[in-house]
Amino acid sequence: MDHHVVALELEPLLVELSDLALSAKQAHWNVTGPLFRPLHAQLDELADDARTWCDDVAERLVAIGIPADGRVGTVQANTPFDTWPDGFLGDSKVVPLIVARLEELIDRTRQRAVRLAVNEIVSEAMLVEIAKGLERHRWMFRVQQG
Ligand SMILES: [Fe+2]
């Protein structure tokens, strides 16, 4: 196993999941509208899961001898996602925004898992579990679009 090749997959994922955790909390606080209550609760679950996955990814990096970098500046400089909108945000805007982010993150995570499967099955297995959790959240947000 080439640890640097693994780091090339796990470091960006740590950034993406850190952004997701922060965006989900931002949405949790500022969502408005008829779906406030279920979205408020569900966004908190997403934020909690994202933080847990950050920890999994960061500690996997360290376990293979690579320092984890979850600093705010690193996340801001490297995230592929647009800045989450400021201020209050209606539920009809929050749901498609979150679904789009989850779609992109699922796609990236699946691709990373496939690349890791070649020679790093432990990290691959972790990413499969993360993708599974992301897809569960995608389902629960997507069905609220009707
Ligand atoms: Fe809260």
Side-chain angles (χ1 to χ4, degrees):
M1 170 181 44
D2 182 340
H3 290 171
H4 292 286
V5 171
V6 180
L8 285 176
E9 303 294 349
L10 297 190
E11 282 174 350
L13 181 59
L14 176 57
V15 165
E16 292 157 13
L17 289 168
S18 297
D19 187 319
L20 180 67
L22 291 167
S23 299
K25 270 293 188 188
Q26 178 73 14
H28 162 79
W29 295 321
N30 292 300
V31 62
T32 62
L35 292 177
F36 166 78
R37 189 62 202 168
L39 282 177
H40 179 69
Q42 196 183 333
L43 287 159
D44 217 18
E45 287 176 29
L46 176 59
D48 285 347
D49 282 349
R51 292 304 296 167
T52 298
W53 296 326
C54 283
D55 203 45
D56 293 341
V57 171
E59 291 184 2
R60 179 65 192 154
L61 276 164
V62 179
I64 62 172
I66 307 234
D69 188 354
R71 294 174 296 172
V72 63
T74 302
V75 174
Q76 185 173 24
N78 297 319
T79 182
F81 300 119
D82 293 336
T83 303
W84 189 264
D86 66 350
F88 295 115
L89 202 60
D91 49 14
S92 64
K93 293 196 172 83
V94 167
V95 172
L97 266 176
I98 282 286
V99 169
R101 269 173 202 234
L102 288 171
E103 291 282 2
E104 181 162 356
L105 196 38
I106 288 163
D107 193 43
R108 287 168 175 270
T109 304
R110 280 176 164 272
Q111 288 179 32
R112 294 190 197 289
V114 167
R115 288 192 292 269
L116 287 166
V118 176
N119 58 11
E120 219 301 87
I121 57 169
V122 176
S123 295
E124 179 215 1
M126 180 179 70
L127 266 58
V128 168
E129 283 304 306
I130 292 172
K132 189 171 144 192
L134 289 167
E135 291 183 7
R136 181 175 170 278
H137 280 290
R138 177 183 59 185
W139 155 49
M140 292 194 173
F141 283 103
R142 200 166 52 188
V143 292
Q144 294 183 59
Q145 293 177 299

